[in-house]
Structure formats: structure tokens, C-alpha cells
Amino acid sequence: MQPTLLILAAGMASRYGSLKQIQQFGPSGETIIDYSIYDAIRAGFGKIVFIIRENFAEEFKEIFEPKLKGKVETAYVFQNMNAFTDGFEVPADRTKPWGTAHAVLCAKDAISEPFAVINADDFYGRDAFEKMAEFLRNECDSNRYSVVGYELGKTVSDYGSVSRGVCEVNAEGNLAGIVERTKIAVEDGKIVYEDGDQKVELGPKTPVSMNFWGFDPSVFEVSEKLFTQFLEQNLSNPKSEFFIPIVVDSFIAAGLGSVKVIPTSSQWFGVTYKEDAPGVQASLSALVNGGEYPDNLWK
């Protein structure tokens, strides 16, 4: 069995203005998403499913199909505002997508095997993909999901605060809960987050989620029921979002199964601030020069 990789890319057009403006970091013009796909293929993933918006589907395919043709199976799924909203009338002022868990739900008909979920614009590292692929092949089932736990110190920015899902891990190495901490920053050599008027220190090895999840297809049924409940409670709130941690927390709380926290030593890269870009480029250059990646991923 080859697992599938689901890439959340529906927000790319709004963040970048145009897909053609996606920033290139690799020596041959590779974007961060190229490195994720490359890592997934060599870890044994057999299919890549992209969650995108229908209005930039053709432009998106023009970018990725020439690179991936003959290397891996691809599929495209649209995150439509009206998907899975039967019985509810979407408010006219609702322009914001329903969130990451809704995006995953939109892939229900495209995935029938264990799968991983990632963001399109985060660099996760080879180690994380290899460990996730092994989990999906050997452990994942309807009672067993997973999340990659990154060391907090390897996910912060030198140029401002970030938000991270801080993982509470029990004695069995499973997820007991996730708390979203905002305004995490490095101050005087320490990592702290703001909690009201207080600043609370977190250790650099504190496990955090960077939205790299491992699921069995049973998650679609769980998500669909929860999304209905979410709409009942939040339909009139134009800023409400149905996030993956909502589904995971409910899965755990309902006693449906456990979520393994997969530790990784991988260095996370991302461009939270424009000043992060040179550091990302330099880090990727170092990996290429060290032989971790070829200087042209798709040659």
C-alpha cells in the first residue's frame, strides 16, 4: 500500500496574489512545495492530491503537471464554499473559506487509502516524511491517527512572533490535546508566549504541530458529522473556521482512538515574514550542497 499526500493549497492565490509569483528558493527555481513533493515521492507516497480553488486550477496544473508527469499520480480537488453544507444556506457575506478541516473533507471522494496532510508553503524535511510514510503503511487505521511533533526551537522566526499548536503528549507518546499559542517569540534567548499580560516560557524541545497529520479515510465520516455541528453553531459568524485540531480533539475526546505524536529532528522552514526568505534560501542551499537534495529536483 502506498499512502497519499494531501496538500492544502487553496489559500495560495490569496496569499501570493498570483501563482506565478510563488517565491522560488531552490537553485533551479524550486518552491517550498516542490521540496515537499520530492520528499514525499522518495518516502514512498504514491499519489499527490492538491486542494486548490477552481478559479486557478488551470494555472496551477500548468506549473506542476510538467514536473510531476510520469513520477507520481496526481489529482486535484476544489475547496468549494458550498461543499458539505446541505441544509444550510451560506451567508452572502461569507467570503472566507471554512478552514483546514473543511479543505480535507473536500478530498473525501479522491482518497481511499491512509494519507498525510500538509500545508503547501511549509518545509517539513525528509525525516518527517519518512517517519510519516512508515506510520501510514504500518500503524494507521480507523482508531489510530498521527501528527508530526516538531521541536519548538526549530520553528520560530528571528523576525517576529509566530503561532504554534503546542502539543500535550501523554506517557504513551500520544496526543492528549493541542493548545494554539499565539505571539510566540524569542526574547533574551528564551522562547516565550503571551498569555494575557503574562509572558510564559516554553522549552526549545516542546513539541508543536506544523499541520503535518496522518489519517485513515475514516476521518472523513468523523469530519462530516462535526462540520454539520460546526455550521449549526457558527454559520452566522463570517470569520469562523473549521480547523483540523477541532476534528482531532473531538476524535480523542469521544474515545474513538488515539493520535500518535511522531517526533522529528527536522528543521522547519517557512516565510512568516519577508525577512525570513533569505534564511530559507540559505538553508536549502546548505542542504543541496550537503547532498540532501539534487541541485535540480525535477531534471
Side-chain angles (χ1 to χ4, degrees), residues 75-131:
Y76 299 86
V77 175
F78 305 136
Q79 185 177 12
N80 188 302
M81 188 76 75
N82 295 309
F84 299 95
T85 60
D86 292 349
F88 298 90
E89 184 175 349
V90 179
D93 62 347
R94 177 81 195 195
T95 57
K96 193 177 186 67
W98 290 116
T100 53
H102 178 257
V104 172
L105 184 54
C106 288
K108 178 181 179 182
D109 293 335
I111 298 174
S112 57
E113 55 282 315
F115 67 101
V117 178
I118 64 167
N119 294 330
D121 49 5
D122 287 314
F123 178 90
Y124 292 99
R126 180 176 185 173
D127 178 70
F129 278 96
E130 290 180 346
K131 288 179 177 176

Side-chain angles (χ1 to χ4, degrees), residues 6 19 28 74 87 119 124 170-171 216 222 231 245 255 264 275 278:
L6 177 62
L19 281 171
S28 298
T74 57
N119 294 330
Y124 292 99
N170 65 21
D216 178 84
V222 175
L231 291 174
T264 182
E275 292 87 354

Side-chain angles (χ1 to χ4, degrees), residues 29-79:
E30 293 89 352
T31 64
I32 289 177
I33 193 172
D34 284 314
Y35 285 94
S36 291
I37 296 171
Y38 184 85
D39 280 336
I41 292 172
R42 66 177 171 176
F45 285 79
K47 182 167 68 173
I48 308 295
V49 177
F50 297 96
I51 290 278
I52 59 176
R53 294 188 188 184
E54 190 170 3
N55 62 350
F56 63 76
E58 292 308 312
E59 187 178 359
F60 193 95
K61 290 179 182 179
E62 286 175 6
I63 293 172
F64 288 100
E65 281 303 307
K67 301 174 182 177
L68 302 180
K69 187 176 182 181
K71 297 180 178 68
V72 69
E73 181 183 350
T74 57
Y76 299 86
V77 175
F78 305 136
Q79 185 177 12

Side-chain angles (χ1 to χ4, degrees), residues 19-297:
L19 281 171
K20 292 178 180 177
Q21 295 170 2
I22 293 174
Q23 194 155 357
Q24 298 177 349
F25 294 102
S28 298
E30 293 89 352
T31 64
I32 289 177
I33 193 172
D34 284 314
Y35 285 94
S36 291
I37 296 171
Y38 184 85
D39 280 336
I41 292 172
R42 66 177 171 176
F45 285 79
K47 182 167 68 173
I48 308 295
V49 177
F50 297 96
I51 290 278
I52 59 176
R53 294 188 188 184
E54 190 170 3
N55 62 350
F56 63 76
E58 292 308 312
E59 187 178 359
F60 193 95
K61 290 179 182 179
E62 286 175 6
I63 293 172
F64 288 100
E65 281 303 307
K67 301 174 182 177
L68 302 180
K69 187 176 182 181
K71 297 180 178 68
V72 69
E73 181 183 350
T74 57
Y76 299 86
V77 175
F78 305 136
Q79 185 177 12
N80 188 302
M81 188 76 75
N82 295 309
F84 299 95
T85 60
D86 292 349
F88 298 90
E89 184 175 349
V90 179
D93 62 347
R94 177 81 195 195
T95 57
K96 193 177 186 67
W98 290 116
T100 53
H102 178 257
V104 172
L105 184 54
C106 288
K108 178 181 179 182
D109 293 335
I111 298 174
S112 57
E113 55 282 315
F115 67 101
V117 178
I118 64 167
N119 294 330
D121 49 5
D122 287 314
F123 178 90
Y124 292 99
R126 180 176 185 173
D127 178 70
F129 278 96
E130 290 180 346
K131 288 179 177 176
M132 177 60 79
E134 183 178 2
F135 169 84
L136 294 173
R137 283 192 294 263
N138 301 315
E139 292 186 56
C140 187
D141 61 31
S142 60
N143 307 116
R144 187 72 163 155
Y145 301 163
S146 70
V147 62
V148 176
Y150 284 79
E151 296 175 7
L152 175 60
K154 294 184 177 181
T155 75
V156 293
S157 171
D158 292 330
Y159 302 101
S161 64
V162 297
S163 296
R164 297 288 180 257
V166 178
C167 298
E168 179 184 351
V169 185
N170 65 21
E172 290 75 39
N174 296 327
L175 188 68
I178 292 184
V179 179
E180 186 73 14
R181 297 297 187 191
T182 58
K183 297 183 179 179
I184 297 175
V186 179
E187 296 185 3
D188 300 322
K190 297 179 180 180
I191 303 174
V192 298
Y193 69 87
E194 293 185 12
D195 186 8
D197 295 332
Q198 303 292 319
K199 289 189 176 180
V200 182
E201 185 178 355
L202 290 169
K205 292 189 179 296
T206 300
V208 295
S209 165
M210 299 305 301
N211 221 32
F212 193 166
W213 300 92
F215 292 122
D216 178 84
S218 60
V219 75
F220 295 124
E221 182 179 355
V222 175
S223 300
E224 192 166 356
K225 290 178 180 177
L226 288 171
F227 186 54
T228 298
Q229 296 173 16
F230 171 85
L231 291 174
E232 290 171 348
Q233 299 168 8
N234 299 280
L235 186 66
S236 60
N237 180 355
K239 294 186 178 181
S240 61
E241 291 188 71
F242 183 52
F243 293 118
I244 293 173
I246 294 174
V247 174
V248 172
D249 281 341
S250 297
F251 174 81
I252 296 170
L256 297 177
S258 60
V259 178
K260 180 178 182 178
V261 179
I262 302 173
T264 182
S265 58
S266 287
Q267 173 73 47
W268 168 88
F269 303 145
V271 185
T272 306
Y273 301 94
K274 64 181 181 180
E275 292 87 354
D276 291 322
V280 171
Q281 190 167 18
S283 296
L284 286 171
S285 293
L287 288 171
V288 171
N289 292 336
E292 183 68 22
Y293 299 96
D295 58 8
N296 187 328
L297 291 183

